[in-house]
């Protein structure tokens, strides 16, 4: 506690990266304690909590990658609708190539969802998956991009799984 206070007040003579590491360790410890508390009090299981953390990280990376691309490309253009769509595509490709390749999404996210069961997904995350699948469906024309961008060609099947699971079949799960 004293170290955290001194670091915040810049009273310790550490390089900035050491201060950042110390703060991240503190935040990481607090985060772990929160998870343990929620699991110990029976609010949710460790498996469910870690699954939720994984889902949140998945969407944070996606939103950051796509929104950054849209903001950079639309800040100086008059035809925003077309540019936003192209910028979205650039952001999606960036996200798929640098953060969440289709194989990783399939191995981790789809495998987790099918293993734990669709019913373990909370309503707010179900809605996020649905919106995510719809956003990609509306902004990416996989047929016209066929064989042009390999990562999108590979992602097409991954996206189809999410689209049919969370959008087309959503009435089966009574979530809207």
């Amino acid at each position: 506690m004293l170290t955290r206070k001194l670091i915040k007040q810049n009273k310790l003579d550490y390089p900035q990266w050491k201060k950042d590491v110390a703060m991240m360790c503190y935040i990481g410890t607090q985060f772990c304690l929160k998870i343990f508390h929620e699991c110990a009090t029976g609010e949710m299981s460790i498996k469910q909590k870690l699954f939720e953390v994984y889902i949140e990280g998945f969407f944070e990376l996606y939103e950051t990658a796509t929104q950054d691309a849209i903001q950079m490309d639309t800040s100086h253009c008059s035809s925003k609708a077309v540019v936003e769509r192209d910028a979205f595509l650039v952001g999606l490709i960036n996200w798929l190539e640098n953060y969440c390749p289709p194989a990783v999404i399939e191995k981790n996210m789809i495998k987790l969802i099918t293993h734990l069961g669709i019913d373990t997904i909370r309503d707010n995350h179900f809605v996020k998956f649905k919106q995510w699948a719809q956003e990609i469906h509306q902004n990416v024309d996989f047929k016209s991009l066929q064989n042009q961008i390999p990562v999108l060609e590979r992602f097409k099947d991954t996206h189809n799984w999410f689209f049919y699971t969370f959008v087309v079949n959503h009435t089966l799960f009574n979530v809207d």
Side-chain angles (χ1 to χ4, degrees):
M1 185 69 159
L2 179 63
T3 304
R4 183 175 148 249
K5 192 175 188 178
L6 292 173
I7 289 172
K8 277 188 165 182
Q9 296 172 355
N10 273 337
K11 297 212 175 172
L12 290 179
D13 191 22
Y14 285 132
Q16 185 60 42
W17 70 268
K18 285 186 179 181
K19 292 176 187 176
D20 293 342
V21 168
M23 188 55 72
M24 291 306 295
C25 289
Y26 172 76
I27 291 169
T29 303
Q30 294 300 313
F31 177 74
C32 289
L33 288 173
K34 183 179 179 199
I35 289 175
F36 291 138
H37 173 74
E38 288 176 0
C39 296
T41 58
E43 292 178 41
M44 65 177 49
S45 70
I46 289 177
K47 190 186 317 184
Q48 179 64 31
K49 184 62 182 177
L50 293 176
F51 183 49
E52 285 200 4
V53 169
Y54 188 73
I55 290 171
E56 288 299 320
F58 178 80
F59 286 118
E60 279 182 36
L61 281 173
Y62 169 76
E63 289 167 8
T64 300
T66 54
Q67 292 306 313
D68 287 352
I70 289 171
Q71 288 174 356
M72 285 190 314
D73 283 352
T74 60
S75 60
H76 60 280
C77 188
S78 60
S79 176
K80 283 199 176 220
V82 172
V83 173
E84 279 184 11
R85 187 174 180 159
D86 291 344
F88 173 83
L89 197 57
V90 168
L92 178 64
I93 292 167
N94 176 47
W95 179 70
L96 290 169
E97 289 178 341
N98 298 311
Y99 301 103
C100 294
V104 171
I105 296 170
E106 291 166 6
K107 186 173 192 274
N108 296 342
M109 189 60 72
I110 292 176
K111 191 175 180 180
L112 271 172
I113 291 170
T114 54
H115 176 73
L116 295 175
I118 199 90
D119 56 322
T120 61
I121 298 175
R122 290 188 171 193
D123 289 352
N124 62 326
H125 290 132
F126 193 98
V127 169
K128 277 187 171 183
F129 277 119
K130 181 179 176 181
Q131 291 170 341
W132 174 73
Q134 286 174 323
E135 180 179 41
I136 292 170
H137 185 75
Q138 292 168 353
N139 289 301
V140 180
D141 182 7
F142 287 106
K143 286 181 183 176
S144 70
L145 296 170
Q146 192 170 7
N147 299 324
Q148 292 181 21
I149 305 170
V151 73
L152 285 179
E153 183 69 26
R154 175 68 177 82
F155 180 64
K156 180 174 65 174
D157 293 332
T158 308
H159 170 261
N160 283 340
W161 185 89
F162 282 98
F163 188 75
Y164 285 103
T165 300
F166 292 98
V167 179
V168 175
N169 297 327
H170 79 280
T171 55
L172 297 175
F173 307 113
N174 299 321
V175 177
D176 238 345

